[in-house]
Amino acid sequence: MNASQAIEILKENGYKQTKQREMLIQIFESKEKDQYFPVKDILEEFQHEFPGASYNTVYRNLYTLVDLDILESTTLHGEQLFRLHCDTDGHHHHFICTSCGRTKPVEVCAIDQVNQSLPGYEIKNHKFEVYGTCPQCK
C-alpha cells in the first residue's frame, strides 16, 4: 500500500481527501512497512504539522483508515498499534515481535478447523496473530 493507493481508496468510499488524512498516510508511508506503531508516536509526528490536533482526532482518523483496509491494527501490551496494510496477497495472518513490533506474514489459518468445531454458527470475521521474539531481537 502506498499513499496514492490509500487516497484513491478514501475517494472511492466517499471520504474527503483532507490534509490531516494525507499527513497520517504519509507518516505511515515513511515508516518501516513491517512494523506496528503506537498512537502516541503517530500523534507526536502528526502534531509537528498540526500542533492543535487532539488525540481523539488522530484516533478517529486512524480507525477510519482501518475500516477502509488502508491500515491494520493490533493490541500489544495493552496498547493499540497501527501500520499500513501489508502488501502480502491473499488471506494471511501475522507473527508479531513483542520486542520491536516487526511482523512477518503467516500463511497458515485455522479457520476451517474452527468452522468444523462450530456447526450451525456463522463466523463473520476472524483475526489470528502469533506473538514472540524475532531473530533480530533474540
Side-chain angles (χ1 to χ4, degrees):
M1 176 83 54
N2 63 39
S4 60
Q5 290 170 317
I7 298 299
E8 191 59 35
I9 291 169
L10 281 167
K11 289 178 182 178
E12 288 170 359
N13 286 278
Y15 288 90
K16 292 182 181 177
Q17 180 179 344
T18 66
K19 291 189 183 294
Q20 291 178 330
R21 289 182 181 138
E22 285 178 15
M23 180 58 158
L24 279 174
I25 292 166
Q26 288 171 3
I27 289 170
F28 282 100
E29 192 173 45
S30 72
K31 298 196 170 296
E32 289 197 40
K33 305 296 182 241
D34 66 344
Q35 192 169 356
Y36 283 96
F37 298 93
V39 177
K40 63 181 169 55
D41 291 357
I42 303 306
L43 177 63
E44 186 177 299
E45 283 188 54
F46 189 78
Q47 286 179 329
H48 289 302
E49 187 74 22
F50 300 99
S54 71
Y55 180 86
N56 286 340
T57 297
V58 170
Y59 217 82
R60 188 173 48 255
N61 276 292
L62 289 173
Y63 271 103
T64 295
L65 297 174
V66 168
D67 289 343
L68 296 173
D69 285 331
I70 294 169
L71 296 181
E72 297 176 358
S73 73
T74 192
T75 304
L76 186 60
H77 306 300
E79 185 173 26
Q80 198 68 33
L81 307 173
F82 297 87
R83 64 173 261 178
L84 271 178
H85 199 281
C86 69
D87 291 330
T88 302
D89 288 331
H91 183 79
H92 68 281
H93 300 284
H94 293 106
F95 168 89
I96 302 171
C97 179
T98 56
S99 293
C100 69
R102 283 192 179 85
T103 66
K104 180 157 179 60
V106 175
E107 305 298 332
V108 177
C109 180
I111 196 65
D112 289 336
Q113 292 169 320
V114 172
N115 274 330
Q116 290 174 7
S117 70
L118 295 170
Y121 289 80
E122 181 182 354
I123 296 173
K124 302 280 187 188
N125 199 356
H126 71 281
K127 187 174 186 175
F128 175 67
E129 296 174 331
V130 179
Y131 300 94
T133 308
C134 71
Q136 294 89 340
C137 291
K138 271 172 81 172

